[in-house]
Amino acid sequence: MHRGFSARARLVAGWVLASTPGCSDSTSETGDTEADSTGATGDTSGTSGGPETGDPDTSSGTTEPEPCGNGELDPGEVCDGTVFDGDLTCVTQGFLSGELECAPNCLNFGTSMCVLSVCGDDAIDGEELCDGTDLGEETCITQGFLAGTLACDAACNSFDTSMCEPNICGNDIIERTESCEGADLADTTCLDLGYDEGTLACAADCSFDETGCITYVCGDDAINDDNEECDGVDLAGTVCADGGFGDGTVTCSDRCTLDFTGCCGDLNQGGAELCDDVDFGGQTCADLGDFDDGVLVCAPTCDAIDTSGCTLCGDGAAEGNEGCDAADLLGNSCTTVPGGFVGGVLVCGADCQLDTSGCNYCGNNLVDAGEDCDDEDLGVGDCLSLGHTGGLLGCAADCSYDESLCTDFPPPGTDDLVITEIMRDPIAIGDPNGEWFELFNPSDDVTYQLFGCTVQDDGGESFDVGSDLTIEPGARLTFGRSISPGFVPNFVYGVMVLGNADDELELVCGGVTIDRVAWTNATFPAPVGASMELDPLSTDAVANDDGSNWCAAGDIYFMGDLGTPGTANGGCG
């Protein structure tokens, strides 16, 4: 019996047939549906009619219970809608979970929606702890071992750790719960464990041996063991000279160690010292007189501070750390100070440091006298003003114009470019934001510059191409009413509406009409949700005047709207 079938059920034509009183189990099995090993079938479309023959009116010896479909179990029915006889569920049929399906004749049920749990399929299901190679993120390490390969037992309910390597104390490797191993204390000392000093060791069980650690009895004003250098007022007769310092006062720290910071020459101001080398106890020139800056100097005996290096900004004399003071610039000008300045006015700032903001140099992003440009500041220049037709003007390192990216592509002449596609009535992105049109360059070798050209209609609507825009040989440019009409256009015009019933598109460059298309619904195709495409066999600026050379696009480009923006048109034949 297949896994997942009840003892009273069998699979016929995609359904499990439940034996019920009055129903024959000798009906011949017909139909082309095959059951898999779970009792579920891949196709139940032909089994909704009742007995195994598929014909509820010609079944032999089987009477279809009535009424089937009322949502209640009537005599002879094993199910009705979502109601099933007795304990019929996916679980009682041997599956992990899911919902049974009741056949239209109320005599059969299907298990195609049941989920099968199988130990050995390499996938954890139901209450399985693991299954084959599926260990659910568990490893030997997460199970408390050092390393190795974790496995799943045959019943899928426990892990097999036989290939895991246990932690071993004594192998000179600190592992998991071990604090240390032999001489390896993991850089831990007695001090790290809260002691004052001592020697930490590793015990036989790889835990710390703290018996060699010492806690001071410090603070009783008496040196009571060899670990104390001093204690309170008991300095053991030590003076500053014993530490190699000058005059001063030795004190005892709260850890019972000698403190020489009150001695002159230890680089730390303390005790009766006014200073010690460069340590002035936080004092500056401003704290010691009518100064606002400068450098203090400590006397060799640490008992006096020399303020001769202190300065007062604003007294008209540049002194000490001052770069200037009022008009005293120490002989400097814009051309003598660092920065590569070429001229300008150097002044003294309120902080008595040189202010170079009035100096001029190439690289300050400001066009100064003698410069064409400066970094991003191009002054009044552009490629067109320098005689080019387009491109990008740059600024060289010497603040002269860099014209290497300027272009000299010619503007198009009459019939040089062709309007080949017009989307005037979109659906996916409605009017007018979804509108667009396409321009084609049929030339084999000429790139045209459109900067300065105008697109207009007869009703006064128009827009200018106000930036560098070129169209290469064989290329197609798209012009969109919005930034996203279902694709990314080459140029966004933002104004002008393409009339659905009739309108015009005219490209004018240098006062010359390059191409023009005027349409009406009477003479041109009027598709909705599709563009008008020019037949590839009529791709020129004369043939596109004839509406019979246009047709509705047939290729989807965005959410059901049809067209080929930026690519070759389909044929109209």
Side-chain angles (χ1 to χ4, degrees):
M1 183 170 64
H2 289 292
R3 180 185 178 95
F5 285 15
S6 70
R8 58 175 183 168
R10 57 197 179 92
L11 181 67
V12 175
W15 297 100
V16 177
L17 301 184
S19 299
T20 58
C23 295
S24 173
D25 61 357
S26 61
T27 307
S28 62
E29 301 182 3
T30 62
D32 58 0
T33 305
E34 296 182 359
D36 62 18
S37 63
T38 68
T41 64
D43 181 5
T44 61
S45 60
T47 66
S48 62
E52 297 174 292
T53 62
D55 185 351
D57 297 327
T58 60
S59 60
S60 175
T62 301
T63 300
E64 183 175 318
E66 292 291 346
C68 177
N70 62 359
E72 298 180 358
L73 286 177
D74 297 305
E77 293 180 344
V78 296
C79 57
D80 196 319
T82 59
V83 179
F84 288 83
D85 182 19
D87 62 350
L88 283 177
T89 65
C90 285
V91 175
T92 63
Q93 297 303 303
F95 294 92
L96 175 64
S97 61
E99 298 290 336
L100 293 175
E101 297 176 282
C102 187
N105 62 7
C106 297
L107 300 177
N108 317 327
F109 61 87
T111 60
S112 62
M113 299 300 291
C114 295
V115 179
L116 184 62
S117 174
V118 179
C119 179
D121 62 357
D122 291 321
I124 297 175
D125 301 309
E127 298 181 356
E128 294 178 341
L129 182 64
C130 54
D131 196 319
T133 58
D134 187 353
L135 303 177
E137 307 296 330
E138 293 295 316
T139 66
C140 284
I141 294 176
T142 64
Q143 293 295 307
F145 294 89
L146 174 63
T149 302
L150 188 66
C152 186
D153 75 343
C156 297
N157 58 12
S158 64
F159 290 115
D160 179 357
T161 60
S162 61
M163 298 298 291
C164 293
E165 181 180 342
N167 292 325
I168 301 175
C169 179
N171 63 356
D172 292 328
I173 300 174
I174 298 176
E175 301 161 336
R176 298 184 65 76
T177 59
E178 296 177 343
S179 298
C180 55
E181 268 277 0
D184 187 355
L185 302 178
D187 295 325
T188 306
T189 66
C190 287
L191 273 67
D192 296 320
L193 300 181
Y195 297 96
D196 293 297
E197 66 170 54
T199 302
L200 186 66
C202 190
D205 62 353
C206 291
S207 63
F208 285 130
D209 178 0
E210 304 175 20
T211 57
C213 293
I214 300 171
T215 299
Y216 292 150
V217 180
C218 181
D220 58 0
D221 290 324
I223 301 174
N224 31 47
D225 60 49
D226 293 338
N227 295 311
E228 294 182 344
E229 295 178 349
C230 57
D231 197 319
V233 296
D234 186 354
L235 303 176
T238 306
V239 295
C240 287
D242 295 326
F245 303 108
D247 294 337
T249 303
V250 179
T251 58
C252 190
S253 74
D254 59 2
R255 295 179 64 85
C256 290
T257 58
L258 292 169
D259 182 359
F260 291 94
T261 58
C263 298
C264 185
D266 69 340
L267 309 183
N268 294 291
Q269 185 270 333
E273 297 174 333
L274 294 180
C275 56
D276 198 318
D277 197 68
V278 294
D279 185 354
F280 297 92
Q283 297 183 105
T284 65
C285 284
D287 299 315
L288 300 177
D290 189 17
F291 308 109
D292 56 14
D293 201 359
V295 178
L296 296 174
V297 177
C298 186
T301 55
C302 300
D303 58 358
I305 299 175
D306 181 1
T307 62
S308 63
C310 295
T311 61
L312 176 62
C313 181
D315 62 2
E319 302 169 311
N321 292 329
E322 295 176 341
C324 57
D325 197 317
D328 185 359
L329 302 180
L330 296 177
N332 286 306
S333 67
C334 283
T335 58
T336 63
V337 296
F341 300 105
V342 296
V345 179
L346 182 68
V347 297
C348 189
D351 59 352
C352 285
Q353 299 300 318
L354 293 172
D355 179 0
T356 60
S357 61
C359 298
N360 301 331
Y361 68 93
C362 179
N364 64 354
N365 205 24
L366 293 172
V367 178
D368 300 311
E371 297 176 340
D372 292 331
C373 56
D374 198 313
D375 200 9
E376 296 180 0
D377 186 353
L378 300 179
V380 295
D382 58 27
C383 287
L384 269 66
S385 68
L386 298 177
H388 303 283
T389 61
L392 182 64
L393 183 64
C395 190
D398 62 355
C399 290
S400 63
Y401 284 132
D402 177 3
E403 303 176 35
S404 61
L405 296 180
C406 291
T407 60
D408 296 295
F409 298 122
T414 302
D415 298 342
D416 283 341
L417 301 178
V418 184
I419 299 171
T420 53
E421 192 168 3
I422 302 171
M423 169 57 90
R424 52 192 171 107
D425 195 4
I427 293 178
I429 300 178
D431 291 328
N433 288 337
E435 295 176 353
W436 53 270
F437 66 91
E438 178 186 84
L439 194 62
F440 174 64
N441 180 4
S443 171
D444 294 328
D445 54 8
V446 181
T447 296
Y448 295 106
Q449 174 63 254
L450 298 182
F451 185 23
C453 294
T454 298
V455 177
Q456 62 189 29
D457 65 10
D458 294 348
E461 290 187 307
S462 67
F463 67 86
D464 296 326
V465 180
S467 60
D468 187 68
L469 183 64
T470 59
I471 181 167
E472 298 179 351
R476 300 171 187 269
L477 292 184
T478 54
F479 294 74
R481 177 63 167 74
S482 68
I483 194 172
S484 181
F487 59 95
V488 179
N490 299 109
F491 187 88
V492 178
Y493 50 89
V495 296
M496 204 170 170
V497 176
L498 305 180
N500 294 341
D502 60 85
D503 209 339
E504 306 80 30
L505 271 178
E506 183 176 6
L507 174 64
V508 179
C509 300
V512 177
T513 296
I514 310 306
D515 190 22
R516 171 186 169 88
V517 175
W519 68 85
T520 68
N521 283 348
T523 57
F524 278 72
V528 176
S531 67
M532 295 192 308
E533 285 188 338
L534 182 64
D535 193 313
L537 300 177
S538 302
T539 306
D540 63 65
V542 176
N544 70 349
D545 296 339
D546 187 350
S548 65
N549 292 327
W550 294 75
C551 59
D555 296 314
I556 295 176
Y557 72 90
F558 181 71
M559 294 180 64
D561 276 2
L562 308 177
T564 57
T567 61
N569 295 347
C572 292

mmCIF file of all heavy atoms in Angstrom, residues 424-455:
data_model
loop_
_atom_site.group_PDB
_atom_site.id
_atom_site.type_symbol
_atom_site.label_atom_id
_atom_site.label_comp_id
_atom_site.label_asym_id
_atom_site.label_seq_id
_atom_site.Cartn_x
_atom_site.Cartn_y
_atom_site.Cartn_z
ATOM 1 N N ARG A 424 1.566 59.033 -29.116
ATOM 2 C CA ARG A 424 0.740 60.186 -28.766
ATOM 3 C C ARG A 424 -0.406 59.834 -27.821
ATOM 4 O O ARG A 424 -1.053 60.721 -27.283
ATOM 5 C CB ARG A 424 0.182 60.849 -30.033
ATOM 6 C CG ARG A 424 -0.535 59.891 -31.004
ATOM 7 C CD ARG A 424 -0.780 60.597 -32.343
ATOM 8 N NE ARG A 424 -1.263 59.743 -33.406
ATOM 9 C CZ ARG A 424 -2.500 59.736 -33.892
ATOM 10 N NH1 ARG A 424 -3.393 60.537 -33.359
ATOM 11 N NH2 ARG A 424 -2.841 58.931 -34.871
ATOM 12 N N ASP A 425 -0.710 58.551 -27.638
ATOM 13 C CA ASP A 425 -1.833 58.188 -26.779
ATOM 14 C C ASP A 425 -1.493 56.937 -25.958
ATOM 15 O O ASP A 425 -2.018 55.862 -26.205
ATOM 16 C CB ASP A 425 -3.088 57.955 -27.632
ATOM 17 C CG ASP A 425 -4.362 57.937 -26.778
ATOM 18 O OD1 ASP A 425 -4.264 58.179 -25.552
ATOM 19 O OD2 ASP A 425 -5.448 57.695 -27.340
ATOM 20 N N PRO A 426 -0.578 57.046 -24.964
ATOM 21 C CA PRO A 426 -0.186 55.889 -24.159
ATOM 22 C C PRO A 426 -1.259 55.522 -23.139
ATOM 23 O O PRO A 426 -2.123 56.331 -22.804
ATOM 24 C CB PRO A 426 1.089 56.366 -23.467
ATOM 25 C CG PRO A 426 0.881 57.841 -23.332
ATOM 26 C CD PRO A 426 0.123 58.276 -24.559
ATOM 27 N N ILE A 427 -1.141 54.292 -22.628
ATOM 28 C CA ILE A 427 -2.076 53.823 -21.593
ATOM 29 C C ILE A 427 -1.332 53.583 -20.279
ATOM 30 O O ILE A 427 -1.753 54.050 -19.223
ATOM 31 C CB ILE A 427 -2.789 52.524 -22.041
ATOM 32 C CG1 ILE A 427 -3.722 52.812 -23.230
ATOM 33 C CG2 ILE A 427 -3.583 51.929 -20.878
ATOM 34 C CD1 ILE A 427 -4.411 51.574 -23.756
ATOM 35 N N ALA A 428 -0.234 52.833 -20.327
ATOM 36 C CA ALA A 428 0.482 52.453 -19.097
ATOM 37 C C ALA A 428 0.859 53.676 -18.282
ATOM 38 O O ALA A 428 0.661 53.734 -17.071
ATOM 39 C CB ALA A 428 1.732 51.643 -19.452
ATOM 40 N N ILE A 429 1.446 54.675 -18.922
ATOM 41 C CA ILE A 429 1.698 55.979 -18.306
ATOM 42 C C ILE A 429 0.948 56.974 -19.168
ATOM 43 O O ILE A 429 1.338 57.264 -20.283
ATOM 44 C CB ILE A 429 3.198 56.313 -18.261
ATOM 45 C CG1 ILE A 429 3.938 55.256 -17.437
ATOM 46 C CG2 ILE A 429 3.419 57.704 -17.674
ATOM 47 C CD1 ILE A 429 5.423 55.468 -17.378
ATOM 48 N N GLY A 430 -0.157 57.491 -18.640
ATOM 49 C CA GLY A 430 -1.101 58.243 -19.451
ATOM 50 C C GLY A 430 -0.579 59.563 -19.984
ATOM 51 O O GLY A 430 0.532 60.011 -19.662
ATOM 52 N N ASP A 431 -1.422 60.202 -20.808
ATOM 53 C CA ASP A 431 -1.100 61.529 -21.355
ATOM 54 C C ASP A 431 -0.915 62.529 -20.209
ATOM 55 O O ASP A 431 -1.635 62.485 -19.210
ATOM 56 C CB ASP A 431 -2.240 62.021 -22.255
ATOM 57 C CG ASP A 431 -2.347 61.211 -23.547
ATOM 58 O OD1 ASP A 431 -1.287 60.759 -24.027
ATOM 59 O OD2 ASP A 431 -3.467 61.053 -24.050
ATOM 60 N N PRO A 432 0.000 63.480 -20.356
ATOM 61 C CA PRO A 432 1.003 63.548 -21.419
ATOM 62 C C PRO A 432 2.329 62.914 -21.023
ATOM 63 O O PRO A 432 3.242 62.836 -21.841
ATOM 64 C CB PRO A 432 1.191 65.057 -21.608
ATOM 65 C CG PRO A 432 1.030 65.597 -20.226
ATOM 66 C CD PRO A 432 -0.007 64.739 -19.551
ATOM 67 N N ASN A 433 2.491 62.462 -19.740
ATOM 68 C CA ASN A 433 3.799 62.035 -19.253
ATOM 69 C C ASN A 433 4.325 60.796 -19.961
ATOM 70 O O ASN A 433 5.525 60.559 -19.960
ATOM 71 C CB ASN A 433 3.741 61.785 -17.748
ATOM 72 C CG ASN A 433 3.629 63.064 -16.965
ATOM 73 O OD1 ASN A 433 4.010 64.123 -17.447
ATOM 74 N ND2 ASN A 433 3.086 62.992 -15.758
ATOM 75 N N GLY A 434 3.436 60.003 -20.550
ATOM 76 C CA GLY A 434 3.886 58.806 -21.236
ATOM 77 C C GLY A 434 4.173 59.037 -22.714
ATOM 78 O O GLY A 434 4.516 58.101 -23.440
ATOM 79 N N GLU A 435 4.038 60.281 -23.193
ATOM 80 C CA GLU A 435 4.240 60.576 -24.618
ATOM 81 C C GLU A 435 5.735 60.658 -24.953
ATOM 82 O O GLU A 435 6.555 61.077 -24.137
ATOM 83 C CB GLU A 435 3.570 61.909 -24.971
ATOM 84 C CG GLU A 435 2.064 61.877 -24.819
ATOM 85 C CD GLU A 435 1.417 63.240 -25.090
ATOM 86 O OE1 GLU A 435 2.159 64.237 -25.262
ATOM 87 O OE2 GLU A 435 0.181 63.289 -25.131
ATOM 88 N N TRP A 436 6.077 60.302 -26.205
ATOM 89 C CA TRP A 436 7.467 60.376 -26.665
ATOM 90 C C TRP A 436 7.503 60.279 -28.182
ATOM 91 O O TRP A 436 6.519 59.908 -28.819
ATOM 92 C CB TRP A 436 8.319 59.265 -26.039
ATOM 93 C CG TRP A 436 7.775 57.870 -26.208
ATOM 94 C CD1 TRP A 436 6.925 57.214 -25.374
ATOM 95 C CD2 TRP A 436 8.038 56.960 -27.296
ATOM 96 N NE1 TRP A 436 6.628 55.965 -25.837
ATOM 97 C CE2 TRP A 436 7.309 55.767 -27.017
ATOM 98 C CE3 TRP A 436 8.807 57.009 -28.446
ATOM 99 C CZ2 TRP A 436 7.339 54.672 -27.866
ATOM 100 C CZ3 TRP A 436 8.849 55.899 -29.295
ATOM 101 C CH2 TRP A 436 8.111 54.750 -28.998
ATOM 102 N N PHE A 437 8.652 60.618 -28.739
ATOM 103 C CA PHE A 437 8.852 60.405 -30.178
ATOM 104 C C PHE A 437 10.315 60.074 -30.422
ATOM 105 O O PHE A 437 11.168 60.247 -29.555
ATOM 106 C CB PHE A 437 8.396 61.618 -31.006
ATOM 107 C CG PHE A 437 9.189 62.877 -30.797
ATOM 108 C CD1 PHE A 437 10.292 63.183 -31.578
ATOM 109 C CD2 PHE A 437 8.833 63.780 -29.799
ATOM 110 C CE1 PHE A 437 11.034 64.340 -31.384
ATOM 111 C CE2 PHE A 437 9.564 64.945 -29.589
ATOM 112 C CZ PHE A 437 10.668 65.232 -30.391
ATOM 113 N N GLU A 438 10.596 59.573 -31.640
ATOM 114 C CA GLU A 438 11.930 59.077 -31.968
ATOM 115 C C GLU A 438 12.450 59.774 -33.219
ATOM 116 O O GLU A 438 11.705 60.022 -34.170
ATOM 117 C CB GLU A 438 11.861 57.560 -32.184
ATOM 118 C CG GLU A 438 13.157 56.895 -32.591
ATOM 119 C CD GLU A 438 12.939 55.429 -32.925
ATOM 120 O OE1 GLU A 438 12.542 55.142 -34.099
ATOM 121 O OE2 GLU A 438 13.115 54.584 -32.036
ATOM 122 N N LEU A 439 13.765 60.082 -33.218
ATOM 123 C CA LEU A 439 14.436 60.727 -34.347
ATOM 124 C C LEU A 439 15.566 59.810 -34.814
ATOM 125 O O LEU A 439 16.324 59.280 -33.995
ATOM 126 C CB LEU A 439 15.002 62.082 -33.885
ATOM 127 C CG LEU A 439 15.453 63.065 -34.949
ATOM 128 C CD1 LEU A 439 14.281 63.481 -35.833
ATOM 129 C CD2 LEU A 439 16.060 64.304 -34.287
ATOM 130 N N PHE A 440 15.683 59.647 -36.159
ATOM 131 C CA PHE A 440 16.637 58.690 -36.739
ATOM 132 C C PHE A 440 17.610 59.413 -37.661
ATOM 133 O O PHE A 440 17.228 60.322 -38.406
ATOM 134 C CB PHE A 440 15.883 57.603 -37.507
ATOM 135 C CG PHE A 440 16.769 56.645 -38.259
ATOM 136 C CD1 PHE A 440 17.653 55.814 -37.590
ATOM 137 C CD2 PHE A 440 16.729 56.566 -39.653
ATOM 138 C CE1 PHE A 440 18.468 54.925 -38.269
ATOM 139 C CE2 PHE A 440 17.532 55.679 -40.350
ATOM 140 C CZ PHE A 440 18.410 54.856 -39.653
ATOM 141 N N ASN A 441 18.910 59.012 -37.584
ATOM 142 C CA ASN A 441 19.944 59.533 -38.491
ATOM 143 C C ASN A 441 20.262 58.476 -39.527
ATOM 144 O O ASN A 441 20.966 57.510 -39.241
ATOM 145 C CB ASN A 441 21.205 59.895 -37.695
ATOM 146 C CG ASN A 441 22.318 60.451 -38.573
ATOM 147 O OD1 ASN A 441 22.136 60.646 -39.780
ATOM 148 N ND2 ASN A 441 23.477 60.728 -37.972
ATOM 149 N N PRO A 442 19.787 58.642 -40.779
ATOM 150 C CA PRO A 442 20.014 57.629 -41.804
ATOM 151 C C PRO A 442 21.406 57.689 -42.422
ATOM 152 O O PRO A 442 21.765 56.842 -43.241
ATOM 153 C CB PRO A 442 18.939 57.962 -42.851
ATOM 154 C CG PRO A 442 18.723 59.435 -42.703
ATOM 155 C CD PRO A 442 18.918 59.741 -41.257
ATOM 156 N N SER A 443 22.237 58.667 -42.017
ATOM 157 C CA SER A 443 23.556 58.810 -42.624
ATOM 158 C C SER A 443 24.464 57.643 -42.254
ATOM 159 O O SER A 443 24.331 57.038 -41.192
ATOM 160 C CB SER A 443 24.197 60.127 -42.154
ATOM 161 O OG SER A 443 25.546 60.202 -42.556
ATOM 162 N N ASP A 444 25.405 57.348 -43.130
ATOM 163 C CA ASP A 444 26.374 56.286 -42.871
ATOM 164 C C ASP A 444 27.624 56.801 -42.182
ATOM 165 O O ASP A 444 28.379 56.011 -41.594
ATOM 166 C CB ASP A 444 26.791 55.613 -44.184
ATOM 167 C CG ASP A 444 25.649 54.858 -44.841
ATOM 168 O OD1 ASP A 444 24.790 54.342 -44.101
ATOM 169 O OD2 ASP A 444 25.614 54.810 -46.089
ATOM 170 N N ASP A 445 27.873 58.117 -42.239
ATOM 171 C CA ASP A 445 29.158 58.595 -41.739
ATOM 172 C C ASP A 445 29.131 59.980 -41.089
ATOM 173 O O ASP A 445 30.183 60.512 -40.742
ATOM 174 C CB ASP A 445 30.185 58.610 -42.879
ATOM 175 C CG ASP A 445 29.703 59.406 -44.093
ATOM 176 O OD1 ASP A 445 28.649 60.062 -44.000
ATOM 177 O OD2 ASP A 445 30.384 59.355 -45.129
ATOM 178 N N VAL A 446 27.975 60.583 -40.910
ATOM 179 C CA VAL A 446 27.931 61.934 -40.379
ATOM 180 C C VAL A 446 27.202 61.951 -39.028
ATOM 181 O O VAL A 446 26.084 61.439 -38.913
ATOM 182 C CB VAL A 446 27.232 62.916 -41.346
ATOM 183 C CG1 VAL A 446 27.227 64.328 -40.751
ATOM 184 C CG2 VAL A 446 27.937 62.926 -42.697
ATOM 185 N N THR A 447 27.867 62.535 -38.023
ATOM 186 C CA THR A 447 27.245 62.789 -36.724
ATOM 187 C C THR A 447 26.767 64.230 -36.692
ATOM 188 O O THR A 447 27.512 65.147 -37.070
ATOM 189 C CB THR A 447 28.247 62.560 -35.582
ATOM 190 O OG1 THR A 447 28.634 61.181 -35.561
ATOM 191 C CG2 THR A 447 27.622 62.914 -34.223
ATOM 192 N N TYR A 448 25.522 64.452 -36.246
ATOM 193 C CA TYR A 448 24.958 65.795 -36.242
ATOM 194 C C TYR A 448 24.829 66.318 -34.810
ATOM 195 O O TYR A 448 24.579 65.551 -33.871
ATOM 196 C CB TYR A 448 23.580 65.810 -36.911
ATOM 197 C CG TYR A 448 23.627 65.465 -38.390
ATOM 198 C CD1 TYR A 448 23.177 64.225 -38.847
ATOM 199 C CD2 TYR A 448 24.127 66.371 -39.323
ATOM 200 C CE1 TYR A 448 23.226 63.911 -40.190
ATOM 201 C CE2 TYR A 448 24.167 66.054 -40.679
ATOM 202 C CZ TYR A 448 23.719 64.825 -41.106
ATOM 203 O OH TYR A 448 23.768 64.516 -42.437
ATOM 204 N N GLN A 449 24.981 67.640 -34.669
ATOM 205 C CA GLN A 449 24.826 68.321 -33.389
ATOM 206 C C GLN A 449 23.447 68.978 -33.343
ATOM 207 O O GLN A 449 23.088 69.749 -34.234
ATOM 208 C CB GLN A 449 25.916 69.385 -33.227
ATOM 209 C CG GLN A 449 25.792 70.260 -32.010
ATOM 210 C CD GLN A 449 25.916 69.496 -30.698
ATOM 211 O OE1 GLN A 449 24.906 69.292 -30.025
ATOM 212 N NE2 GLN A 449 27.132 69.066 -30.365
ATOM 213 N N LEU A 450 22.671 68.661 -32.299
ATOM 214 C CA LEU A 450 21.312 69.207 -32.170
ATOM 215 C C LEU A 450 21.228 70.357 -31.176
ATOM 216 O O LEU A 450 20.139 70.918 -30.978
ATOM 217 C CB LEU A 450 20.344 68.093 -31.751
ATOM 218 C CG LEU A 450 20.195 66.924 -32.720
ATOM 219 C CD1 LEU A 450 19.179 65.922 -32.189
ATOM 220 C CD2 LEU A 450 19.789 67.391 -34.095
ATOM 221 N N PHE A 451 22.348 70.704 -30.527
ATOM 222 C CA PHE A 451 22.346 71.821 -29.582
ATOM 223 C C PHE A 451 21.887 73.097 -30.300
ATOM 224 O O PHE A 451 22.424 73.476 -31.318
ATOM 225 C CB PHE A 451 23.752 72.006 -29.023
ATOM 226 C CG PHE A 451 23.858 73.062 -27.945
ATOM 227 C CD1 PHE A 451 22.763 73.438 -27.190
ATOM 228 C CD2 PHE A 451 25.078 73.676 -27.679
ATOM 229 C CE1 PHE A 451 22.868 74.392 -26.195
ATOM 230 C CE2 PHE A 451 25.193 74.639 -26.685
ATOM 231 C CZ PHE A 451 24.082 74.992 -25.950
ATOM 232 N N GLY A 452 20.860 73.747 -29.766
ATOM 233 C CA GLY A 452 20.324 74.960 -30.373
ATOM 234 C C GLY A 452 19.147 74.731 -31.294
ATOM 235 O O GLY A 452 18.516 75.697 -31.745
ATOM 236 N N CYS A 453 18.808 73.454 -31.580
ATOM 237 C CA CYS A 453 17.653 73.155 -32.440
ATOM 238 C C CYS A 453 16.355 73.315 -31.641
ATOM 239 O O CYS A 453 16.354 73.316 -30.403
ATOM 240 C CB CYS A 453 17.753 71.741 -33.001
ATOM 241 S SG CYS A 453 19.131 71.494 -34.144
ATOM 242 N N THR A 454 15.226 73.421 -32.370
ATOM 243 C CA THR A 454 13.913 73.614 -31.746
ATOM 244 C C THR A 454 12.942 72.585 -32.312
ATOM 245 O O THR A 454 12.978 72.265 -33.506
ATOM 246 C CB THR A 454 13.373 75.026 -32.030
ATOM 247 O OG1 THR A 454 14.269 75.984 -31.463
ATOM 248 C CG2 THR A 454 11.986 75.218 -31.434
ATOM 249 N N VAL A 455 12.078 72.046 -31.428
ATOM 250 C CA VAL A 455 10.974 71.185 -31.850
ATOM 251 C C VAL A 455 9.689 71.947 -31.570
ATOM 252 O O VAL A 455 9.495 72.460 -30.455
ATOM 253 C CB VAL A 455 10.986 69.835 -31.105
ATOM 254 C CG1 VAL A 455 9.776 69.003 -31.524
ATOM 255 C CG2 VAL A 455 12.282 69.079 -31.380
#
